[in-house]
Amino acid sequence: MLLKENIFTGSRRSDVSVHVITTGKGIPVEFMVTAGSIHDNTTFQVMDINLPKNGDLYGDAAYLNQQHRELLLEFNQIRLKAATKKNSVVKNTWAEELENRYYRKTIENTFAEINAKFPKKIHAVTAKGFLLKILCFIIMYILDKQFSV
């Protein structure tokens, strides 16, 4: 599953987006931090996706790119199942949309759980320090999720 979340620091919105791929149980396995101005689809195209073959990857409409979908299927045997926009030429069936909504809820809950662990304000002197703190929160969440009873 794939989704983007903007990071909020205090009352100001940071110019950082975190793109995450999780398992079906909501455990992050890959993520990428980008500037908020970079389009989701651009980030998705440069992500190094190392997922098991014959897997499904769910995402929202911003990640829909027919050419990239075909490349993922041909070379990685990964099926990209993204929501379609209202004005899309090729639309998903109602069953595909329902399936997509069901699985995307898991990652949206994952972001809510990760954000709950963030403090109200992330203080960092440098951009590297800020990214390091985001990385630590995500790793802490992964470990907590893996080892919780």
Side-chain angles (χ1 to χ4, degrees), residues 124-148:
V125 177
T126 65
K128 284 184 180 180
F130 180 75
L131 294 175
L132 182 62
K133 288 184 179 189
I134 291 172
L135 174 68
C136 288
F137 282 115
I138 293 173
I139 290 172
M140 178 183 68
Y141 175 80
I142 293 169
L143 292 173
D144 186 46
K145 195 86 161 156
Q146 285 282 20
F147 297 111
S148 64

Short mmCIF file of all heavy atoms in Angstrom, two decimals, residues 124-148:
data_model
loop_
_atom_site.label_atom_id
_atom_site.label_comp_id
_atom_site.label_asym_id
_atom_site.label_seq_id
_atom_site.Cartn_x
_atom_site.Cartn_y
_atom_site.Cartn_z
N ALA A 124 14.38 20.84 15.05
CA ALA A 124 15.65 20.41 14.45
C ALA A 124 16.36 21.64 13.92
O ALA A 124 15.73 22.54 13.36
CB ALA A 124 15.39 19.41 13.33
N VAL A 125 17.66 21.68 14.10
CA VAL A 125 18.46 22.82 13.65
C VAL A 125 18.75 22.72 12.16
O VAL A 125 18.75 23.73 11.45
CB VAL A 125 19.77 22.91 14.47
CG1 VAL A 125 20.65 24.04 13.98
CG2 VAL A 125 19.46 23.07 15.95
N THR A 126 18.94 21.51 11.67
CA THR A 126 19.27 21.32 10.25
C THR A 126 18.22 20.44 9.58
O THR A 126 17.46 19.73 10.25
CB THR A 126 20.65 20.65 10.08
OG1 THR A 126 20.58 19.33 10.64
CG2 THR A 126 21.75 21.45 10.77
N ALA A 127 18.21 20.47 8.26
CA ALA A 127 17.29 19.62 7.50
C ALA A 127 17.63 18.14 7.73
O ALA A 127 16.73 17.31 7.86
CB ALA A 127 17.38 19.95 6.01
N LYS A 128 18.93 17.82 7.81
CA LYS A 128 19.33 16.43 8.08
C LYS A 128 18.83 15.98 9.45
O LYS A 128 18.39 14.83 9.60
CB LYS A 128 20.85 16.29 8.01
CG LYS A 128 21.39 16.27 6.61
CD LYS A 128 22.89 16.02 6.62
CE LYS A 128 23.43 16.01 5.21
NZ LYS A 128 24.87 15.78 5.17
N GLY A 129 18.89 16.86 10.43
CA GLY A 129 18.39 16.53 11.76
C GLY A 129 16.89 16.28 11.74
O GLY A 129 16.39 15.36 12.41
N PHE A 130 16.17 17.08 10.98
CA PHE A 130 14.71 16.92 10.85
C PHE A 130 14.39 15.56 10.21
O PHE A 130 13.55 14.81 10.70
CB PHE A 130 14.15 18.06 10.00
CG PHE A 130 12.66 17.99 9.81
CD1 PHE A 130 11.79 18.33 10.84
CD2 PHE A 130 12.13 17.59 8.60
CE1 PHE A 130 10.42 18.27 10.66
CE2 PHE A 130 10.77 17.52 8.41
CZ PHE A 130 9.90 17.87 9.45
N LEU A 131 15.09 15.23 9.12
CA LEU A 131 14.87 13.95 8.44
C LEU A 131 15.26 12.78 9.33
O LEU A 131 14.59 11.74 9.32
CB LEU A 131 15.65 13.91 7.13
CG LEU A 131 15.19 14.90 6.06
CD1 LEU A 131 16.12 14.85 4.85
CD2 LEU A 131 13.76 14.66 5.65
N LEU A 132 16.31 12.94 10.10
CA LEU A 132 16.73 11.89 11.02
C LEU A 132 15.64 11.62 12.07
O LEU A 132 15.35 10.47 12.40
CB LEU A 132 18.04 12.26 11.70
CG LEU A 132 18.63 11.22 12.65
CD1 LEU A 132 18.95 9.94 11.90
CD2 LEU A 132 19.87 11.77 13.33
N LYS A 133 15.02 12.67 12.55
CA LYS A 133 13.94 12.50 13.54
C LYS A 133 12.74 11.81 12.92
O LYS A 133 12.13 10.94 13.55
CB LYS A 133 13.56 13.84 14.14
CG LYS A 133 14.62 14.37 15.08
CD LYS A 133 14.21 15.65 15.75
CE LYS A 133 15.32 16.09 16.70
NZ LYS A 133 14.94 17.21 17.53
N ILE A 134 12.39 12.15 11.69
CA ILE A 134 11.29 11.47 11.01
C ILE A 134 11.62 9.99 10.86
O ILE A 134 10.80 9.11 11.13
CB ILE A 134 11.01 12.11 9.63
CG1 ILE A 134 10.43 13.51 9.81
CG2 ILE A 134 10.06 11.25 8.81
CD1 ILE A 134 10.30 14.29 8.53
N LEU A 135 12.86 9.69 10.43
CA LEU A 135 13.31 8.31 10.28
C LEU A 135 13.20 7.56 11.61
O LEU A 135 12.71 6.42 11.65
CB LEU A 135 14.75 8.29 9.77
CG LEU A 135 15.42 6.91 9.70
CD1 LEU A 135 14.77 6.05 8.63
CD2 LEU A 135 16.90 7.07 9.43
N CYS A 136 13.62 8.19 12.68
CA CYS A 136 13.56 7.54 13.99
C CYS A 136 12.12 7.24 14.41
O CYS A 136 11.84 6.18 14.96
CB CYS A 136 14.24 8.40 15.05
SG CYS A 136 16.04 8.42 14.88
N PHE A 137 11.20 8.15 14.15
CA PHE A 137 9.80 7.91 14.49
C PHE A 137 9.23 6.74 13.69
O PHE A 137 8.50 5.92 14.22
CB PHE A 137 8.95 9.17 14.27
CG PHE A 137 9.09 10.18 15.36
CD1 PHE A 137 9.65 11.41 15.10
CD2 PHE A 137 8.65 9.91 16.64
CE1 PHE A 137 9.78 12.35 16.10
CE2 PHE A 137 8.79 10.83 17.65
CZ PHE A 137 9.34 12.07 17.39
N ILE A 138 9.59 6.67 12.42
CA ILE A 138 9.08 5.57 11.59
C ILE A 138 9.68 4.25 12.04
O ILE A 138 8.97 3.24 12.17
CB ILE A 138 9.36 5.84 10.09
CG1 ILE A 138 8.52 7.04 9.63
CG2 ILE A 138 9.04 4.61 9.25
CD1 ILE A 138 8.82 7.52 8.22
N ILE A 139 10.98 4.21 12.34
CA ILE A 139 11.61 2.99 12.83
C ILE A 139 11.02 2.58 14.17
O ILE A 139 10.74 1.40 14.41
CB ILE A 139 13.14 3.16 12.91
CG1 ILE A 139 13.73 3.24 11.50
CG2 ILE A 139 13.78 2.01 13.70
CD1 ILE A 139 15.19 3.59 11.44
N MET A 140 10.79 3.55 15.05
CA MET A 140 10.19 3.26 16.35
C MET A 140 8.80 2.64 16.15
O MET A 140 8.45 1.66 16.81
CB MET A 140 10.07 4.54 17.17
CG MET A 140 9.42 4.33 18.52
SD MET A 140 9.21 5.86 19.43
CE MET A 140 7.99 6.70 18.44
N TYR A 141 8.04 3.17 15.21
CA TYR A 141 6.71 2.63 14.93
C TYR A 141 6.81 1.20 14.41
O TYR A 141 6.05 0.32 14.84
CB TYR A 141 5.98 3.52 13.92
CG TYR A 141 4.66 2.94 13.51
CD1 TYR A 141 3.55 3.08 14.33
CD2 TYR A 141 4.53 2.23 12.33
CE1 TYR A 141 2.33 2.52 13.97
CE2 TYR A 141 3.31 1.67 11.96
CZ TYR A 141 2.23 1.83 12.79
OH TYR A 141 1.03 1.26 12.43
N ILE A 142 7.75 0.95 13.50
CA ILE A 142 7.92 -0.40 12.93
C ILE A 142 8.26 -1.40 14.04
O ILE A 142 7.67 -2.48 14.13
CB ILE A 142 9.02 -0.41 11.84
CG1 ILE A 142 8.56 0.40 10.62
CG2 ILE A 142 9.38 -1.83 11.44
CD1 ILE A 142 9.67 0.67 9.62
N LEU A 143 9.22 -1.04 14.89
CA LEU A 143 9.62 -1.94 15.98
C LEU A 143 8.47 -2.17 16.95
O LEU A 143 8.24 -3.30 17.39
CB LEU A 143 10.84 -1.38 16.71
CG LEU A 143 12.13 -1.36 15.91
CD1 LEU A 143 13.23 -0.63 16.67
CD2 LEU A 143 12.57 -2.76 15.55
N ASP A 144 7.75 -1.11 17.27
CA ASP A 144 6.61 -1.23 18.17
C ASP A 144 5.55 -2.15 17.59
O ASP A 144 4.99 -3.01 18.26
CB ASP A 144 6.03 0.16 18.46
CG ASP A 144 4.93 0.13 19.49
OD1 ASP A 144 5.11 -0.53 20.54
OD2 ASP A 144 3.89 0.77 19.25
N LYS A 145 5.29 -2.01 16.31
CA LYS A 145 4.27 -2.81 15.63
C LYS A 145 4.71 -4.27 15.50
O LYS A 145 3.90 -5.18 15.67
CB LYS A 145 4.02 -2.21 14.23
CG LYS A 145 2.80 -2.67 13.55
CD LYS A 145 1.63 -1.84 13.95
CE LYS A 145 0.54 -2.03 12.91
NZ LYS A 145 -0.76 -1.76 13.39
N GLN A 146 6.00 -4.50 15.24
CA GLN A 146 6.50 -5.85 15.06
C GLN A 146 6.54 -6.64 16.37
O GLN A 146 6.27 -7.83 16.38
CB GLN A 146 7.93 -5.83 14.48
CG GLN A 146 7.99 -5.49 13.04
CD GLN A 146 7.63 -6.66 12.14
OE1 GLN A 146 6.99 -7.62 12.53
NE2 GLN A 146 8.03 -6.57 10.90
N PHE A 147 6.89 -5.97 17.47
CA PHE A 147 7.13 -6.68 18.72
C PHE A 147 6.02 -6.51 19.76
O PHE A 147 6.16 -6.99 20.87
CB PHE A 147 8.47 -6.28 19.32
CG PHE A 147 9.62 -6.65 18.43
CD1 PHE A 147 10.37 -5.67 17.79
CD2 PHE A 147 9.93 -7.99 18.19
CE1 PHE A 147 11.41 -6.02 16.95
CE2 PHE A 147 10.98 -8.34 17.36
CZ PHE A 147 11.72 -7.36 16.74
N SER A 148 4.95 -5.81 19.41
CA SER A 148 3.85 -5.67 20.37
C SER A 148 3.04 -6.96 20.39
O SER A 148 2.89 -7.64 19.40
CB SER A 148 2.97 -4.49 20.00
OG SER A 148 2.36 -4.70 18.75
#
